Amino acid sequence: MSLSNQLESGKELRARVDAFKALCRSRALRLTEQRLEIFRTLAQSKAHPSAEAVFAAVRKKLPNISLDTVYRTLASMEEAGVVFRVGLSTKARFDADLTPHYHFVCMNCGEVYDVLPQPGAPALVVPQHISQFGEVKNVNLQFRGICNRCRAAAEQK
Amino acid sequence: MSLSNQLESGKELRARVDAFKALCRSRALRLTEQRLEIFRTLAQSKAHPSAEAVFAAVRKKLPNISLDTVYRTLASMEEAGVVFRVGLSTKARFDADLTPHYHFVCMNCGEVYDVLPQPGAPALVVPQHISQFGEVKNVNLQFRGICNRCRAAAEQK
DNA sequence: CTCTTTGCAAATTTTTTGCATGCGC
DNA sequence: GCGCATGCAAAAAATTTGCAAAGAG
């Protein structure tokens, strides 16, 4: 086993869970046992678990939890900014343009927009220590948020 | 319709298709009508189409093409470095660590590793003109390649 | 002629949804 | 108690796979 799955120290974990509780209160998210346990699981793991993996782990503590609760909870936590999703929440999309550019991805509708590097901005640096993980073939920089169209639609409601 | 779906100019498109042909030859990828049409479709679009969308577009030219050919072709093109995949090719994975860090994602096994910013490297710049698209809520920088474990496994074969 | 690639169909995997019940506030 | 959140089951969406036939080099 590598170090990457080790637990956070108890102190650090408790602090993060407390911060999570406060954040839930501030966003009017109900603090259920399931949410707490899902967050705790995620905060304890460095393995970037999938929804299935979170489900399997949480189940040990809460045997009755259902997979769809995990999905729903992860989605609402992402929206609240409490957890980060590696990858997209929508299906894969493709781009044949290999010149350096980035993407803006709408977290609501999934739309993808090309973003050119800011002129004069320093170039992206690939950390040297990345070779400990593997060989980098390409770099993916994406900015996520809510697109203007979705925001306008939400405001109108 | 926005500008984002407009076609490349004919000249530019032809150049990219020619480059694609050369690349196929160099990688011993057979140059089939389907591959050519899929690439052409992608190179013509600025909409970052999904596999389904590519399928629908290519179908107009090649009515007999099947969806799984599109999937297979896009995957092999990605592997050859001809097209870029926005999002992950694997299921979603989650991270509760919100301190600034990046990820190395293995394109083969899907494993995700934490990558710390290189000390002293210039900070990531969010381009100012991004506001034309929407409001940025978070930034996702990932390096993709083949992890050392997968590479070792491949070499051994 | 050989070996990759395709099309078809079916299966898997991943994620979402409707609805009645339950629990946090 | 009110209304969001959950569990269950079923469905939908996205992607993959096995196999025989077709086509590229």
Side-chain angles (χ1 to χ4, degrees):
Chain A
M1 273 302 109
S2 74
L3 287 175
S4 63
N5 291 318
Q6 284 195 343
L7 305 186
E8 295 285 327
S9 77
K11 199 190 242 174
E12 158 99 26
L13 175 60
R14 227 169 304 129
R16 285 169 79 177
V17 170
D18 284 347
F20 171 66
K21 289 181 181 175
L23 204 127
C24 281
R25 274 190 288 270
S26 78
R27 308 257 177 140
L29 288 176
R30 290 187 178 170
L31 199 61
T32 64
E33 226 184 341
Q34 290 89 336
R35 282 184 180 158
L36 209 52
E37 200 51 46
I38 289 171
F39 180 79
R40 201 176 277 137
T41 297
L42 220 48
Q44 277 181 82
S45 170
K46 294 194 169 173
H48 310 87
S50 64
E52 282 279 358
V54 171
F55 177 57
V58 172
R59 222 178 187 179
K60 291 176 188 163
K61 295 273 188 97
L62 305 175
N64 285 325
I65 197 170
S66 65
L67 178 56
D68 54 287
T69 294
V70 174
Y71 271 104
R72 280 186 285 220
T73 302
L74 290 172
S76 62
M77 284 180 180
E78 184 197 10
E79 199 180 333
V82 186
V83 306
F84 180 80
R85 181 190 295 260
V86 185
L88 250 49
S89 50
T90 57
K91 57 195 163 194
R93 302 181 62 156
F94 297 87
D95 191 346
D97 180 2
L98 298 179
T99 61
H101 69 282
Y102 316 131
H103 294 111
F104 177 85
V105 181
C106 179
M107 296 168 83
N108 184 242
C109 67
E111 198 51 63
V112 177
Y113 302 90
D114 283 330
V115 176
L116 296 179
Q118 171 134 301
L124 259 180
V125 174
V126 179
Q128 286 164 1
H129 59 268
I130 208 163
S131 58
Q132 68 184 109
F133 303 119
E135 190 194 355
V136 174
K137 286 197 160 185
N138 65 61
V139 177
N140 176 213
L141 174 56
Q142 63 186 224
F143 303 97
R144 297 191 195 151
I146 304 300
C147 74
N148 291 328
R149 180 196 296 231
C150 282
R151 191 220 284 264
E155 276 171 6
Q156 190 183 344
K157 254 198 313 193
Chain B
M1 274 298 109
S2 76
L3 287 173
S4 63
N5 290 318
Q6 284 196 345
L7 306 185
E8 294 286 326
S9 76
K11 199 190 241 172
E12 158 101 25
L13 175 60
R14 228 169 303 129
R16 285 169 79 176
V17 171
D18 284 347
F20 171 67
K21 289 181 182 175
L23 203 127
C24 281
R25 272 189 291 268
S26 78
R27 309 260 176 134
L29 287 175
R30 288 185 179 174
L31 198 60
T32 65
E33 228 186 334
Q34 289 88 335
R35 282 183 179 158
L36 208 53
E37 200 51 45
I38 288 171
F39 181 78
R40 202 178 276 137
T41 297
L42 221 45
Q44 277 180 80
S45 170
K46 294 196 169 169
H48 309 86
S50 64
E52 281 279 358
V54 171
F55 176 57
V58 172
R59 223 179 189 180
K60 291 176 187 162
K61 295 273 187 98
L62 305 175
N64 285 325
I65 197 170
S66 65
L67 178 55
D68 54 283
T69 296
V70 174
Y71 272 104
R72 282 186 283 221
T73 303
L74 290 173
S76 61
M77 285 180 180
E78 184 196 10
E79 200 179 334
V82 186
V83 306
F84 179 81
R85 183 190 294 259
V86 185
L88 251 49
S89 51
T90 57
K91 57 193 164 197
R93 302 179 63 156
F94 297 86
D95 191 346
D97 181 2
L98 299 179
T99 62
H101 69 282
Y102 316 132
H103 294 112
F104 177 85
V105 181
C106 178
M107 296 168 83
N108 185 242
C109 67
E111 199 51 62
V112 178
Y113 303 89
D114 282 330
V115 176
L116 296 180
Q118 170 134 298
L124 260 181
V125 174
V126 179
Q128 286 164 1
H129 59 272
I130 210 164
S131 57
Q132 67 184 109
F133 303 120
E135 190 194 355
V136 175
K137 286 195 160 186
N138 65 61
V139 177
N140 177 213
L141 174 57
Q142 64 184 224
F143 303 97
R144 299 192 194 150
I146 305 299
C147 73
N148 292 329
R149 178 195 295 228
C150 281
R151 192 219 286 261
E155 274 169 7
Q156 191 182 343
K157 255 197 315 194

